[in-house]
Amino acid sequence: MTQHTPAAKPPSRAERKAALLAELEQQRIDMLVDSDTLMRASAPLDNHWRSLKLPFYVIGGVAAWRILRHPSGAMAVGRKALAGYMLLRKFKLLAKVAS
C-alpha cells in the first residue's frame, strides 16, 4: 500500500482577497514613491520649459501671422522642404543599393 500525504490546503477566498488587497496597496505606495521621484527629477526641465514657453508662443504667432498674410511664401517653403525630403530618401535608397 502506498502512503498518501494530504495536499496543502489552498488559501480561502478571504485569504486570497486579503493578499490581493495587500499587493494592490503596495503597488499604490510604489507608484506614489516613483511619481514623487519623477517629479523631483523633472522639476528643472519643467522650470526651464516654463521660461521658454512665452518666446515660443510669440515666434509661433509671428510665423502664423506671416503665413496668413503671405500664404504663397509658405507654400514655396513647403514645396522646397518636400523636395529636399524626397531627395534625401532617394540618396538613402541609392546608398543602400550601392553598398
Side-chain angles (χ1 to χ4, degrees):
M1 279 186 133
T2 60
Q3 193 100 17
H4 193 273
T5 58
K9 184 179 174 186
S12 69
R13 183 180 176 131
E15 291 170 338
R16 287 193 320 247
K17 182 178 178 181
L20 285 173
L21 288 174
E23 185 179 347
L24 283 173
E25 185 64 26
Q26 185 59 47
Q27 287 176 354
R28 287 185 187 117
I29 292 169
D30 291 343
M31 285 175 57
L32 285 171
V33 169
D34 291 342
S35 172
D36 186 53
T37 304
L38 177 65
M39 292 299 287
R40 276 190 271 116
S42 65
L45 293 173
D46 289 340
N47 293 337
H48 188 63
W49 169 247
R50 283 190 199 108
S51 68
L52 291 177
K53 272 194 334 191
L54 183 62
F56 279 147
Y57 286 154
V58 170
I59 291 168
V62 168
W65 179 254
R66 290 197 60 189
I67 288 171
L68 287 174
R69 297 276 306 197
H70 306 286
S72 60
M75 292 295 289
V77 168
R79 281 194 299 271
K80 288 177 183 175
L82 181 62
Y85 171 71
M86 296 300 287
L87 186 63
L88 181 66
R89 282 186 49 197
K90 290 292 182 187
F91 280 140
K92 282 185 177 179
L93 182 62
L94 183 62
K96 185 189 280 188
V97 170
S99 61

